[in-house]
Amino acid sequence: MVAMRNPNAMLVNLDQGLAPSYQDTLCQAKQEKTANARNRASSENATAERDVYEELLTQAEIQGNVNKVNLLAALEKVNKALERRDASALFEELSSPALGLRGLKRENCDWYLKQLIADKEQKAERGSNEILQKEELQSGVDVANEAAQRFHKMLKAVDRINAAIRKGDANETVTELMNPDAQLPTVYPFAAPLYQRELATLQQQSPEGYLSNPELGVAVEMLSSVALINKALDTGDIGEVWKYLSSSVTGLTNVENENSQRYIDELLKLKAQSRAEGNEFLSWNDIQAVVDNVNTTVHEEHERILALGLINEALDEGDAQKTLQVLMLPAAKLADVNAPTAQHYQDTLVRAKREKAQDTQDESAVLWLDEIQDGIWRSNKETEEAEKFSLGILAINEAVDSGEVAQTLSALRSPDVGLYGVTPECDEAYQAELQELKKSMLANGDNKSVWVKHWVKGGYNYYYNIESRKGSWEEPAGFVQNSTQLSREEIQSTISGVTAAYNREQLWNANETLIVKLQARCKGYLVRKEFSNRMNFLKKQVPAIIAIQSQWRGYKQKKAFQDRLQYLRHHETEAVKIQSLARMHRAKKQYKGRLQYFKDHIDEIVKIQAFIRANKARDDYKTLINADNPPMVVVRKFVHLLDQSDQDFQEELDLMNLREEVVTLIRANQQLENDLNLMDIKIGLLVKNKITLQEVVSHSKKLTKKNKEQLSDMMMMNKQKGGLKALSKEKREKLEAYQHLFYLLQTNPTYLAKLIFQMPQNKSTKFMDSVIFTLYNYASNQREEYLLLRLFKTALNEEIKSKVDQIQEIVTGNPTVIKMVVSFNRGARGQNALRQILAPVVKEIMDDKTLNIKTDPVDIYKAWVNQMESQTGEASKLPYDVTPEQALKHEEVNARLDASIKHMRTVTDKFLLAIVVSLEKIPYGMRYIAKVLKDSLHEKFPDATEDELLKIVGNLLYYRYMNPAIVAPDAFDIIDISAGGQLSTDQRRNLGSVAKMLQHAAANKMFEGDTAHLSKINEYLSQSYQKFRRFFQAACEVPEPEDRFNVDEYSDLVTVSKPVIYISIGEIINTHTLLLDHQDAIAPEHNDPIHELLEDLGEVPSIESLLGEGAGNPSDPSKEALAKTEVSLTLTNKFDVAGDENSEMDARTILLNTKRLIVDVIRFQPGETLTEILETPASNEQETDHQKAMQRRAIRDAKTPDKMKKAKTTLEETNLTLAEKKAKIQSNLKKLTEMGKVNPENRYQDLINDIAKDIRNQRRYRQRRKAELVKLQQTHQALSSKATFYEEQVDYYNQYIKTCLDNLASKGKISKKPGDMKGKKSKQVSQKYTAARLHEKGVLLEIDDLQSSQFKNVYFEISPTEEVGDFEVKAKFMGVQMETFMLHYQDLLQLQYEGVAVMKLFDRAKVNVNLLIFLLNKKFYGK
């Protein structure tokens, strides 16, 4: 120790008391160092010089060991101080320089002691018994310092909180409570008034007027829970409310899980009441009070239910006094229970219980609270009435005894007695008769009894004491009926007898005049009888009288005739002269009149002559029309009809323009209709909260914009300079290639027919709607209708050939072609036909408000039960749920069913008549496809019977074409429905029933099985089928399209205008793509023309390349609008003959050109035959006339639009002379003869016949064109009306969306459509069901802790609240109000959307969500 203290050693922190420890530690350290040095020396070079300090301790090593000993000693001292729990000593030891601890503060010594003891105990728990090391001490000191600092901050924060509470500023209080230094639970600023109010109350209750941190912590934690409860009540979050109610943090007592729903309901009511009173928050005391009240109420309810059970048991035992005791139990809470009426209570309640068991057919039925209370009140009322009745009878007896007539009459007329037929005029008679009756009773003896027994209302006996004037329902002991008191029956009998005698007397007095009349009529009869006898005698002598008169008249007439004849014989010469003069005068007058007639009618004579000439012309035309070989003279007279006049060109232009507008309108309406349908779906989803209102508003803006701009945008392509119609060679070749391609597709149906079946059905249907119908211009003229029918025929034959294996597959399946044919013919073209056929009868049914066709026995039964209940106001004793067989056992159901069947037959007859007489109104296309369908099926299935084929035809014509229009006439524009309007449920059911009848009749299907109750009309169905059968046979009897439309292979070559289609860029690209993808399937032959056309087109172009630079921005990502841009294509045939004379010409073109040249020649040069005309040279005058006519033709052709200009070859032939034309004709005839097309032996009469046919077809074409113009105008008008209707729909939807936005702003949610709220302002009636009834309906699945046999005692009442979509559901058990549940319709829809099938009401009743929605819809929304 002395050596270590040597200053030269430079050792510090030496402690004399630790000298032994220094010695031991340094010795051990030196020994270890020496051993280590020797070990190194033995392994290294032993001769090397060694350092002395390799074995000796250095100054640093010595100091290090000293510090180590000092540290261990200081740690020991600290540990001992901790064991003594001496804070001051601990601080001194911690301050030791050997430890070198930082941040020591004397004022925190207690904190150090507490923290280090905790650290030491924690270390011991980990299984270590070592003392705390330096690092652990430093960590404990730091933690203690921080804890002390937080504590001091907390004290200051608590002081500020108390100051803020005293100040009364809620916001400042919350700010201080939220200070982290206060170390309080979470505080919610929205509840600042709640914190301020409650904490101020606690502060005032505190003795010191100061709240400590623990007190604040407990209070704030509870108040925060209360605040969250208030917030959850405001938002309606029931789960959160229960979470905090049941939390121990809230500190509420006696919170029962089974009462959770009732707590919440009461809190919601209290919250609303508190808010109305101006209190924003419920306090903890309020919530605890609600919990206590609910618990008390639930306890009372259970006690009440037990009391009800005791009452029912007492009733079963039959002891009136026991029943009285349980009725007077306080738990039962029954009012107005009187002890003297006990026996009547027993009788009344026993009878009520027995009646209930009979009504419910349940022997175990018990009386509920309201039924028991009603029985008590009824018994009290009957007791009161019995007392009044007894007193009234006694008063009558006393009045009779007194002999006072007025008093007796007054007593008899007392309403308490209930006597009828009392007449004041008979008062004395009443008195006398009653006194006489009493005397007779006294004569029989008086037993002096004071009791009388009365039979009162309800069939009970009431005993009345005439002395005490008190009554009882129980028979008194030793009861004997008083023998001198008149009973009500005796009094009533006496009154009735007296009154009847009085009435008879009055009747005779009133009818004295009638008796006199009767006597007078008897005397009159005797007089008339005597007169009749005299008249009969005279009538028997009529023949004798007539004979006498006729003899006398005959004598006088003969004498006058003989005198006149004698006079004429004496003057014969004078008579002849007079006659000759009269005849001469008449002849002169007749001649002059005839001459003057001719002069006056010179104009009519000229017309008659013209008429004769016209008859000659008509005869010639008939020859042209009907003759097999019309002569050249006749043909020459009418060849001028082949010329095209200015009117023809104008009509063609009008037809083209109108067709373009119609096609554009059709496409625009289709697009707008699709968007409206999508809008309707979006609104439907909006109502069910499946999409947001913003989505609907967005679509509405898009819809409105489309409606206004669609027509102008569709034809943009026709007005622009760039794109497919640009003036460049490349674009022109591309345009012509597409025109050639679509001409080939239009005129050759094989390609499209095969292409349809190369695609999936959904794509083929879309392809048909978008491309094929566009390619044929929706059959807007007869040529295109003819071509479309050819396509349908080809496609149908292809489908039957390749896809139909059984004949019934046409009916059971959904054939693509059949579906397309029906869709097309029910569209714009066939819609008018359906309207003409069905609209009158459909409108008649809809206007008949009394018509109500129901053929389901169960529906009829339920309607009958509902009607009885509505009329009587009492629940029917019949069961509500029955099977059809059970329903048919009731005569009323059978009577109503027979009436419905009678009405249905009457209405069905009207529809059937309207259909079978409308054969000519059905579109030709539908009838022709029906014929093709029948023939194709017969060809593939030759064994099929005629009935089987006709049933399939009926399936097409009626079921697919007409039936949907009958079932839903509003969807097919059969009737006019305003925007937002719709058919009623009864109207739809009536139409559906008729459609079902017609469907069975058309298919010859009888009612059997589930519909056997309708079997009585099977005979009617068989008769109707025969009518349908004849109708279907007649429908298939149609001419071929070639004859119907007068179209053949030459039609396109002779028409004035070329076919034009209007097609979008997207449809062009789509068609091109499909043809390239499937070209090998649709055209397996390599030399097929379509391969050449597709090769000319090359790869599929892009939308931008077809639109051109000015059409749109190629980088625009939205190409859908660009793809809908339309372009018109003038279709031409690439494989027609070119204008080069040296090119090879086919027979058809040579024949056409030859006929055209012959027409030009025979117009100017007459002759009997074509050979004669060709061999005879033309005169100069004929050549001149020909040249003038050709010049006029050239001028007219120059004015002709490009779409109507003829081929180049035709224009060149116009410049030839007659001689040149005849030479060319002769050259062509030689070629045609070599080809076998003409026969020179009959002088080329075949060519003349073809020209005659062209003349006839030209006339028919003009007629068809005029008819087509009229039809297109009608179609255009109808499409415009439909567009107007769609615009009204858009306005209606916009109005609805505006209403939704208004509701959203005012209520925060979307209501139903405006139209749905009309007429529904009145409060709706609540719906009441037992749990058993809801269980039968499937709405209620189970109730926790309650057997299904007890469901009959559970009662649910569903009431709509003032808030739309909210319903209050009340639950009662045996009539005792249990719980109330607020049901939100919007929540049900959300659960249904999320797929949740079951939910809980009252936390114990499981219900089916879907069926509950159905019940609410049916009962409250009429759905």
Side-chain angles (χ1 to χ4, degrees), residues 108-151:
N108 295 341
C109 59
D110 293 329
W111 292 92
Y112 299 151
L113 177 63
K114 180 179 178 181
Q115 182 63 38
L116 292 176
I117 289 175
D119 291 344
K120 184 177 180 183
E121 292 175 350
Q122 186 176 4
K123 189 173 183 179
E125 290 176 357
R126 291 197 298 267
S128 175
N129 294 323
E130 296 181 1
I131 62 176
L132 295 176
Q133 300 300 312
K134 178 182 177 182
E135 293 78 8
E136 293 172 329
L137 292 176
Q138 183 63 61
S139 176
V141 168
D142 293 340
V143 170
N145 286 336
E146 292 176 3
Q149 185 179 9
R150 286 197 303 272
F151 177 74

Side-chain angles (χ1 to χ4, degrees), residues 609-620:
Q609 292 173 344
F611 175 73
I612 295 172
R613 296 188 187 97
N615 276 342
K616 180 65 170 64
R618 277 194 292 272
D619 291 339
D620 292 339

Side-chain angles (χ1 to χ4, degrees), residues 999-1019:
Q999 180 184 344
H1000 277 66
N1004 198 21
K1005 180 181 179 183
M1006 301 297 106
F1007 286 111
E1008 53 190 8
D1010 294 339
T1011 58
H1013 59 278
L1014 300 176
S1015 59
K1016 61 183 71 175
I1017 56 176
N1018 284 344
E1019 182 179 354

Side-chain angles (χ1 to χ4, degrees), residues 1162-1173:
I1162 65 176
R1163 287 185 60 188
F1164 301 99
Q1165 187 174 346
E1168 294 295 330
T1169 63
L1170 178 59
T1171 305
E1172 179 185 342
I1173 294 174

Side-chain angles (χ1 to χ4, degrees), residues 1053 1133-1141 1143-1150 1153 1207-1209:
L1053 300 174
N1133 187 0
K1134 179 180 180 181
F1135 305 103
D1136 270 346
V1137 178
D1140 188 358
E1141 291 182 358
S1143 63
E1144 182 180 357
M1145 304 174 71
D1146 62 5
R1148 187 177 67 176
T1149 307
I1150 296 174
N1153 291 338
K1208 185 178 179 182
T1209 305

Side-chain angles (χ1 to χ4, degrees), residues 547-565:
I548 295 170
Q549 292 176 345
S550 63
Q551 289 293 331
W552 173 248
R553 290 192 188 100
Y555 168 75
K556 290 178 65 178
Q557 188 66 31
K558 288 177 182 178
K559 187 176 184 302
F561 176 74
Q562 291 295 332
D563 293 344
R564 182 64 178 169
L565 185 61

Side-chain angles (χ1 to χ4, degrees), residues 172 392 401 429 436 591 652 724 735 790 871 907 953 973 1291 1367 1415:
E172 183 179 350
D401 291 337
E436 187 64 29
Y591 172 75
E652 287 291 342
L724 189 59
L735 175 63
R790 286 183 59 199
Q871 292 175 351
V907 177
V953 171
D973 290 340
D1291 295 339
F1367 298 90
L1415 180 68

Side-chain angles (χ1 to χ4, degrees), residues 1211-1230:
L1211 298 176
E1212 291 176 352
E1213 291 171 352
T1214 305
N1215 299 325
L1216 300 177
T1217 63
L1218 275 177
E1220 292 171 339
K1221 287 184 177 180
K1222 288 195 285 185
K1224 191 167 185 178
I1225 290 172
Q1226 291 173 340
S1227 174
N1228 288 347
L1229 289 175
K1230 290 180 181 179

